[in-house]
Amino acid sequence: MEERKKRVRDAPRTRRRMLEAARDLFLRNGYGATTLKEIADRADVAVQTIYFTFGNKRVLLKELVDVAIAGDLEPVATMDRPWFQEALAAPTAEAHLRLHVRGTRGILERVAPIVEMLRAATAADPALAGQWDDDVDPRFAVHLEAARSLMAKPRARSGMTAEHAADLLFGVLSPELYQVFVRDRGWSPERWEAWAADTLTAQLCQAA
């Protein structure tokens, strides 16, 4: 009984260890070249534990991406996260925008490094695409929800639709552009956040 209780207590820690091992190996060797046995060895678990926990490598990669976006193992959607709700509650468009950029930066710090690996993995294994909903880009859905709230607030730029604002958020706050500045040009995440907030404020908010 005590052994079973210990396994239950340790399960989240073991799950995260397997995900971290998969992330390291996928980034170093590529998704296709990495075996579940290699992930198990790095995570110090039996390969059967990975099969029992995730089922297969595609599901493991899907959860790796989901956890990178969320920042934890909790099954809470981005739009239900405290940072997103705090931004929605901001009194002005500019305050909302800066909180949205800050929250998005946290996601991009975790997600941007794996985007190229995920793109290559999907190209090599087209069935991976079936792990996600093809009808709606979840990243755009988050920015559209933010834009609808932001553009209805005081000091939002008049005459701009929420859809156009969402396009700007989607582009400026993309993992690809984040990597251009942070990885390629050596900016700190803080510097990128300040630039992105200033750039979007000039586009989406009324001049002071």
Side-chain angles (χ1 to χ4, degrees):
M1 179 66 73
E2 287 302 317
E3 180 63 25
R4 183 175 181 276
K5 288 181 179 178
K6 182 177 184 301
R7 286 199 302 270
V8 171
R9 288 196 304 270
D10 290 346
R13 188 180 303 114
T14 302
R15 192 182 199 98
R16 181 170 286 281
R17 199 164 69 244
M18 290 186 286
L19 289 167
E20 289 173 349
R23 179 185 185 277
D24 292 344
L25 289 170
F26 288 161
L27 287 175
R28 189 183 72 188
N29 303 328
Y31 170 82
T34 301
T35 67
L36 291 182
K37 177 65 166 59
E38 289 170 328
I39 295 170
D41 289 345
R42 189 178 183 90
D44 195 24
V45 299
V47 70
Q48 290 84 358
T49 302
I50 294 184
Y51 281 112
F52 178 79
T53 305
F54 301 103
N56 58 54
K57 193 162 70 166
R58 290 177 185 137
V59 175
L60 171 57
L61 178 60
K62 168 66 163 56
E63 183 158 335
L64 171 62
V65 173
D66 290 346
V67 170
I69 293 170
D72 55 45
L73 297 174
E74 297 301 317
V76 179
T78 299
M79 286 185 278
D80 294 326
R81 293 270 164 178
W83 73 265
F84 191 86
Q85 292 298 313
E86 181 185 0
L88 290 180
T92 66
E94 183 173 356
H96 184 163
L97 182 57
R98 292 191 177 276
L99 288 170
H100 185 72
V101 172
R102 178 165 299 172
T104 302
R105 170 193 145 195
I107 293 175
L108 291 176
E109 286 185 83
R110 299 185 297 269
V111 170
I114 68 175
V115 167
E116 290 181 12
M117 178 273 294
L118 179 60
R119 186 177 292 118
T122 304
D125 182 3
L128 270 172
Q131 298 292 324
W132 288 272
D133 184 355
D134 289 335
D135 295 332
V136 179
D137 185 319
R139 191 168 71 83
F140 182 76
V142 167
H143 290 313
L144 180 58
E145 183 69 17
R148 285 171 175 160
S149 173
L150 189 153
M151 300 311 294
K153 289 179 177 176
R155 301 201 61 75
R157 183 178 291 276
S158 60
M160 180 178 292
T161 67
E163 288 73 17
H164 184 74
D167 286 343
L168 295 177
L169 293 174
F170 186 80
V172 173
L173 305 182
S174 68
E176 293 83 3
L177 193 55
Y178 177 88
Q179 288 287 72
V180 166
F181 287 109
V182 176
R183 181 195 62 195
D184 299 343
R185 299 306 309 151
W187 285 22
S188 68
E190 293 80 9
R191 182 181 177 188
W192 172 88
E193 179 187 332
W195 169 81
D198 289 345
T199 299
L200 287 166
T201 296
Q203 291 290 316
L204 300 178
C205 302
Q206 294 178 10

